[in-house]
Every structure is written in structure tokens, then in C-alpha cells.
Amino acid sequence: MRNRPSSRLLVIDPDDRLLLFKFVHLAGALTGQQFWATPGGALDPGESYEAAACREMFEETGLRIDDPGPQIARRSVTFTLVDGERVASDERYFLIRVIGADISSTHWTELERAAIAAQRWWTRTELAATSDTVYPEDLADMLTRAGVW
């Protein structure tokens, strides 16, 4: 199993809503299964978690940042990527506040265009009430500990 260090982005708009993407599995036994997750992704070779957070922010939202701020959470998890590959991931979470809610998919990869079915800004109440699968499972607690909610 491949190790996959990654930066995850907790993008918060002026109304304290969290940006999540809806992913759909494209291959393997999980084909068609859906879940919501934060923007972000794997580090490029030699890239720091902070640099990856800045790059992923631009690629997945179209917004440029020079500094992702402090890492507010970390988790180690094994999961199946949307293309069917099983990985062991060391995820670092960065809280990023934005001044508007407009994002762009212009810089998405072909895989992201195929795998991301929707994007949505969530309130704490909406996240608590959903029956949809959301990763990480303790996302609301993570944001509460960070003083967002």
C-alpha cells in the first residue's frame, strides 16, 4: 500500500460555512459510492505540507494564498481513493478563511472533473443534520476545537 501524505483544506467563508466537495468512486468495489470531503490532496515529491496546501487551494478553488496558516489537526487513515487505489494517508488540516464564496474549477485535473460531483458551502447545522457520508467523521468537532463553530 502506498503512503500518501496530504494537505487538507478547511475553507471557511465570511458566513462561517465550510466548503466540501462531493466525490464519487470511479473504480473497484466501491464504484458509485459517494461522500463529502474537504478540498486538498497529496504532496508532490519534495513538497512541504504548507506548500501543498497553497497549491491545492489554487488548483481546487482558484484562490491564491501565500500562507495556509497553522496546521490545526492531523490524522492518519487508510482509505480507498476515488480511482480505486488503497492508500495510507498522513493528513494535515489547515484552516483557511476566504473573503467570498465564489470558487472556480478551472484548474481541476481530469480525475477531479470526473470524481467531483458537486461542491457546497455547509453550516454547522447542515453538517450535523446530514445523513450523507462526510470525511473526516469528526469534522464538526475539528472546527469547534479550532474556534470556528
Side-chain angles (χ1 to χ4, degrees):
M1 183 179 317
R2 177 172 66 94
N3 288 322
R4 184 181 186 265
S6 66
S7 291
R8 306 303 309 176
L9 313 175
L10 302 170
V11 182
I12 305 295
D13 78 356
D15 295 322
D16 288 334
R17 298 179 302 168
L18 172 69
L19 177 64
L20 294 177
F21 291 147
K22 186 175 191 176
F23 292 88
V24 178
H25 278 278
L26 303 174
L30 301 177
T31 299
Q33 289 190 14
Q34 303 177 18
F35 61 94
W36 291 92
T38 62
L43 274 63
D44 287 341
E47 188 174 42
S48 70
Y49 285 91
E50 293 78 10
C54 293
R55 176 183 50 77
E56 289 287 344
M57 183 70 172
F58 177 67
E59 290 175 0
E60 297 194 356
T61 70
L63 303 172
R64 288 193 187 274
I65 57 171
D66 295 324
D67 180 358
Q71 172 187 313
I72 65 156
R74 179 180 182 180
R75 80 174 186 153
S76 295
V77 63
T78 301
F79 63 93
T80 303
L81 296 172
V82 295
D83 65 2
E85 180 187 8
R86 191 105 174 119
V87 296
S89 186
D90 177 6
E91 299 179 336
R92 312 289 174 97
Y93 288 81
F94 296 89
L95 179 65
I96 302 170
R97 290 197 172 267
V98 296
I99 59 172
D102 293 332
I103 64 168
S104 170
S105 60
T106 301
H107 303 285
W108 286 5
T109 65
E110 186 176 317
L111 178 60
E112 288 165 340
R113 290 186 190 288
I116 298 174
Q119 59 195 26
R120 178 178 165 196
W121 293 95
W122 294 71
T123 65
R124 177 188 182 127
T125 302
E126 291 167 338
L127 191 60
T130 189
S131 60
D132 291 353
T133 301
V134 178
Y135 295 118
E137 296 87 346
D138 66 341
L139 190 52
D141 291 338
M142 196 182 291
L143 291 168
T144 299
R145 287 189 302 271
V148 175
W149 287 344

